[in-house]
Amino acid sequence: MRNVKRIFIILILLLITIFVYSAPVESGSISFKGLIEPGLYFFVSELNPQIYNLIANQDLQPDGEGVEIGTWTLRVDNPPIEETNYGVTYSYEPLTAVGIEDTIDFIILEKTEDDVTIEQKLDQGSSAVTISSTPGLNIVTRILSARLTAEGVVSAVNAAASEDYTSNITVALSTE
């Protein structure tokens, strides 16, 4: 029985020694951080690249529907917690041709994909787009059409004949 007590005491001393010496002398903490960046994509595409008859095409007249010339799409993946506002600005000049002094005014029409909302966009005109904090993909697409102004029709009727009337339209995205 004495040996059992001795073994028991030795085991207790051994366990105490193990726990005392295995306890950390100092400790620290590590932070593990992660992020999910919102994917931001802005695409501008040309539609129907062709030469339009500026006088005979009824869709180009001031009361016409316009001719579809392009689209833009804004896609935001995993948006931030708060709503984010973007601006889409249009920059363009009247139709002109190299070596010809005539200029022909037109406007851009911005349409939703379902043609419910149609807005006129003059040079330096812009559109506001709000992306909500809805998780996943947030996609906004607009269809761009062009049509002549009343002044543009008069200019076209009186302008020199040419297949080279052109206007470069810049569609730019910015955050507000």
Side-chain angles (χ1 to χ4, degrees):
M1 179 91 150
R2 213 173 187 178
N3 282 339
V4 172
K5 280 185 181 181
R6 221 182 253 171
I7 292 174
F8 183 70
I9 291 175
I10 291 173
L11 282 174
I12 290 177
L13 288 174
L14 185 60
L15 288 173
I16 291 172
T17 305
I18 289 172
F19 283 118
V20 168
Y21 288 114
S22 67
V25 176
E26 291 223 14
S27 66
S29 64
I30 297 172
S31 293
F32 175 61
K33 299 178 180 181
L35 69 90
I36 297 175
E37 292 184 6
L40 176 66
Y41 307 93
F42 186 66
F43 307 99
V44 178
S45 302
E46 185 174 339
L47 295 176
N48 305 320
Q50 60 182 295
I51 299 172
Y52 294 97
N53 186 322
L54 299 175
I55 297 171
N57 189 318
Q58 291 302 307
D59 290 334
L60 280 171
Q61 303 314 304
D63 58 348
E65 295 181 14
V67 293
E68 291 184 354
I69 58 170
T71 64
W72 63 256
T73 300
L74 171 63
R75 186 179 110 190
V76 180
D77 302 346
N78 299 354
I81 295 171
E82 300 172 359
E83 288 187 343
T84 306
N85 295 316
Y86 296 94
V88 178
T89 305
Y90 301 96
S91 301
Y92 59 94
E93 303 212 356
L95 291 159
T96 58
V98 175
I100 299 174
E101 293 182 20
D102 299 313
T103 60
I104 302 169
D105 292 329
F106 69 99
I107 59 168
I108 298 290
L109 300 173
E110 179 188 85
K111 303 180 214 178
T112 56
E113 288 180 291
D114 54 9
D115 286 342
V116 171
T117 305
I118 300 173
E119 295 181 22
Q120 292 185 11
K121 300 297 175 183
L122 302 174
D123 178 41
Q124 300 303 313
S126 64
S127 294
V129 178
T130 300
I131 298 295
S132 69
S133 58
T134 306
L137 296 177
N138 290 272
I139 300 174
V140 176
T141 299
R142 297 292 184 264
I143 300 166
L144 307 178
S145 296
R147 79 173 174 212
L148 300 178
T149 63
E151 296 82 13
V153 170
V154 172
S155 297
V157 169
N158 294 311
S162 175
E163 292 184 359
D164 296 328
Y165 285 98
T166 305
S167 177
N168 293 317
I169 302 162
T170 301
V171 183
L173 177 70
S174 62
T175 55
E176 296 180 351

